[in-house]
Amino acid sequence: MKLTLKIWRQADPQAKGETVTYPVNDISPDMSFLEMMDVLNEELVNKGEEPVAFDHDCREGICGMCSMYINGEAHGPDRGITTCQLHMRKFKDGDTIYIEPWRAKAFPVIKDLVVDRNSFDRIMEAGGFVSVNTSGNTQDANAIPIPKEDADEAFDAATCIGCGACVASCKNSSAMLFVSAKVSQLALLPQGKVEAKRRVLNMVEQMDKEGFGNCTNTGACEVECPKGISLSNIARMNREYLSASLTAKD
Amino acid sequence: MSFFTSSIGRKVVMSITGLFLISFLIVHLAVNLLTLVSKDLFNEASHFMGTNPFIQTMQYVLALGFILHISQGLILTMKNRQARPQKYAMNKPETNSGISSRSMLLTGVLVLLFIFIHLRDYLWEMKFGNLGGYETDYDLVVGLFDDPIYTAVYVLSFILLAFHLNHGFQSAFQSIGVNHPKYTSFLKTLSTVFCIFVGVGFSAISLYFFFN
Ligand code: HEM
Ligand code: SF4
Ligand code: FES
């Protein structure tokens, strides 16, 4: 396959950045999108040019690093996958492909396609944990009965890999899907219920501080999420936040 | 207090005020539909709405509802734009979200312009004016729809309102946390049915009097 790539190049966080056009040849439809990027980078290195910086790690859809906004959609045109799971057979010979970083004030570009997602980590630090004493005699987790539906819902929420595609796809750069998945996975389980009120208040406060936008329930996040995290998590977080705001004592 | 300046708190205000505005729309439409039934009935209802102390009090609550809804809508939209300082060179929002949900500010602002025209020509005339020279409330309502441009502006506004409600009605439930596998799909369908009902209902009145 022959393709024309239009890639965002930006030397450092302060640089202005621009879209640069690169033609690539000899792309096999069986390659993954990142392998296609590797081919391009090898050519660039051979020519003595700076390769395109992009995030990646596991290359099997579990780490969430491979953030790329491809032809107007997070992780490209396919559904339920990350960029590393996207294959070139989804494109046609001769296609032009735009490749951009996640765009959000809370995800500043570090270089080219690499963005800083530490804002997610700071939200997690604000409440995405349970405080359990681990001084030797922790209770066997299976000794606490949990309704099957709750366990399933918590597990579904816990499949969020923190990739940020929800933020990238949202017209408001809202992080509600991510934060609600993290709030839900803990709020649904007995261990997490103990700190549930503080957690949701603190995580939402941190989310707002980071400069993410507000949810307008367009649902783009749910469609683009590689893990199919459901909007029902956002409703749960709204409920949790509403009741915690009304009843929290401090 | 931080609740009301938080992202979720603001959305809760949008949702509650939005649902309140919807309840007002239903009453408004019900009264208007009386114009199609009988002149006397409508005049009687109009008189009741204009004099009943409860309705008169609710007018101020309604105005407050509008002010809150509009101010929060503007603040939220402004913040949302700030959250993405650099736009995508290539973006395909139509692949993952509906047009109604992406144009809430536009449809909202245009509906607001319409509301100003509407208040000037009706509420103002009924309360402070001389009914635009017409004899009864009914004659005023019917009379203004002689003008094709006026009628067209009305119908267009109701279509915009329908788009606003298509997303707004079901969204308001999600905003306050009402989402359930049993009821959410029903609410979404109801949202579409309701927005068509409101759009067609109001438009039908304008068009009926334009053609008669
Ligand atoms: C009769 C008039 C109106 C009704 C019944 C109405 C109803 C609603 C409802 C139910 C929502 C959804 C709230 C939610 O998602 O929680 C909404 C959202 C919205 N409305 Fe209105 N609205 C009206 C007029 C207006 C006006 C005049 C504006 C002018 C600015 C406006 C701007 C907005 C905006 C920007 C949103 C989206 C806010 C967001 O999702 O964050 N609306 N409206
Ligand atoms: S909710 Fe989905 S899109 Fe958002 S960070 Fe988690 S896995 Fe990624
Ligand atoms: S590289 Fe790990 S999910 Fe794509």
Side-chain angles (χ1 to χ4, degrees):
Chain A
M1 297 167 83
K2 275 187 201 211
L3 300 164
T4 307
L5 306 176
K6 291 190 175 284
I7 304 181
W8 182 257
R9 301 301 311 261
Q10 181 174 339
D12 58 66
Q14 280 74 42
K16 202 168 158 287
E18 57 174 346
T19 305
V20 180
T21 306
Y22 299 98
V24 283
N25 306 315
D26 301 328
I27 298 297
S28 149
D30 296 331
M31 281 179 181
S32 79
F33 201 85
L34 296 188
E35 283 167 335
M36 185 278 294
M37 292 298 289
D38 294 337
V39 171
L40 168 72
N41 274 346
E42 219 158 288
E43 278 174 27
L44 290 178
V45 170
N46 288 342
K47 281 195 276 185
E49 287 177 36
E50 182 76 13
V52 179
F54 62 90
D55 261 329
H56 62 111
D57 189 16
C58 70
R59 295 207 176 199
E60 55 182 11
I62 54 174
C63 76
M65 283 308 280
C66 49
S67 53
M68 281 186 201
Y69 210 73
I70 301 162
N71 264 356
E73 285 182 83
H75 299 137
D78 217 351
R79 292 284 175 251
I81 54 152
T82 50
T83 307
C84 56
Q85 297 169 295
L86 175 65
H87 284 86
M88 296 316 293
R89 53 180 166 268
K90 286 281 158 189
F91 299 90
K92 288 194 301 291
D93 191 31
D95 273 1
T96 299
I97 306 177
Y98 280 82
I99 309 171
E100 300 174 78
W102 288 169
R103 295 287 188 202
K105 189 169 144 214
F107 287 165
V109 172
I110 299 173
K111 187 177 182 184
D112 297 338
L113 304 172
V114 180
V115 296
D116 178 353
R117 279 170 283 189
N118 277 311
S119 45
F120 269 12
D121 294 337
R122 289 189 292 271
I123 294 172
M124 291 305 280
E125 282 161 22
F129 50 79
V130 286
S131 309
V132 187
N133 202 336
T134 53
S135 61
N137 41 8
T138 32
Q139 192 185 358
D140 176 9
N142 289 327
I144 310 169
I146 298 169
K148 174 88 165 80
E149 297 91 54
D150 290 0
D152 285 351
E153 279 187 284
F155 194 82
D156 284 347
T159 58
C160 163
I161 53 178
C163 62
C166 43
V167 175
S169 314
C170 173
K171 78 177 178 64
N172 315 314
S173 299
S174 165
M176 290 282 276
L177 194 64
F178 165 77
V179 181
S180 69
K182 300 304 173 191
V183 162
S184 291
Q185 82 185 41
L186 297 171
L188 281 161
L189 300 177
Q191 296 91 336
K193 287 211 166 88
V194 182
E195 292 158 296
K197 282 186 194 172
R198 274 284 113 224
R199 174 182 308 112
V200 69
L201 293 175
N202 289 344
M203 288 179 82
V204 170
E205 187 185 345
Q206 189 63 35
M207 171 182 86
D208 289 349
K209 255 192 224 153
E210 297 290 348
F212 290 104
N214 309 278
C215 178
T216 53
N217 305 325
T218 64
C221 53
E222 183 187 53
V223 174
E224 299 290 351
C225 172
K227 300 298 160 187
I229 301 292
S230 158
L231 288 183
S232 61
N233 290 297
I234 296 185
R236 180 178 299 104
M237 180 160 79
N238 290 342
R239 284 199 297 276
E240 292 270 325
Y241 188 79
L242 204 54
S243 73
S245 295
L246 287 172
T247 59
K249 293 197 179 97
D250 52 332
Chain B
M1 249 9 243
S2 65
F3 174 78
F4 290 103
T5 51
S6 70
S7 53
I8 296 178
R10 286 185 197 276
K11 279 301 309 231
V12 169
V13 173
M14 278 312 280
S15 160
I16 305 289
T17 54
L19 288 174
F20 175 63
L21 295 183
I22 285 176
S23 73
F24 142 78
L25 271 185
I26 296 172
V27 175
H28 198 319
L29 179 57
V31 172
N32 283 19
L33 285 172
L34 292 179
T35 53
L36 302 180
V37 181
S38 102
K39 173 173 173 169
D40 290 342
L41 206 53
F42 175 74
N43 277 333
E44 221 169 282
S46 178
H47 179 73
F48 173 80
M49 299 303 279
T51 49
N52 181 281
F54 175 71
I55 302 286
Q56 289 301 303
T57 318
M58 285 312 279
Q59 261 182 17
Y60 296 100
V61 183
L62 179 64
L64 181 71
F66 265 110
I67 292 169
L68 283 174
H69 187 79
I70 294 165
S71 55
Q72 291 301 331
L74 291 174
I75 294 172
L76 283 169
T77 311
M78 196 184 66
K79 283 176 171 277
N80 292 345
R81 303 232 161 127
Q82 285 166 355
R84 176 162 297 148
Q86 171 118 32
K87 303 265 167 294
Y88 290 107
M90 169 63 84
N91 200 10
K92 291 189 186 142
E94 68 282 1
T95 55
N96 53 37
S97 54
I99 183 83
S100 312
S101 72
R102 281 182 280 119
S103 34
M104 290 302 275
L105 184 73
L106 182 70
T107 52
V109 166
L110 291 175
V111 166
L112 181 64
L113 290 181
F114 162 78
I115 291 173
F116 282 133
I117 302 177
H118 179 65
L119 288 181
R120 166 68 196 86
D121 290 346
Y122 287 102
L123 193 69
W124 187 266
E125 285 298 335
M126 288 176 181
K127 268 197 141 113
F128 311 112
N130 62 349
L131 287 182
Y134 292 100
E135 242 171 59
T136 68
D137 293 351
Y138 177 88
D139 297 308
L140 172 66
V141 171
V142 174
L144 286 175
F145 292 119
D146 281 345
D147 184 350
I149 301 196
Y150 202 82
T151 309
V153 167
Y154 263 63
V155 172
L156 182 70
S157 303
F158 296 136
I159 294 172
L160 291 166
L161 178 63
F163 272 96
H164 198 79
L165 294 177
N166 182 27
H167 176 68
F169 184 85
Q170 52 83 31
S171 169
F173 291 94
Q174 169 85 357
S175 296
I176 48 173
V178 180
N179 181 309
H180 191 277
K182 262 197 213 151
Y183 310 113
T184 293
S185 65
F186 168 73
L187 280 175
K188 287 193 174 174
T189 313
L190 186 64
S191 198
T192 309
V193 172
F194 176 70
C195 86
I196 295 174
F197 178 71
V198 169
V200 170
F202 279 115
S203 303
I205 297 168
S206 314
L207 291 171
Y208 178 81
F209 289 115
F210 175 66
F211 287 111
N212 289 286

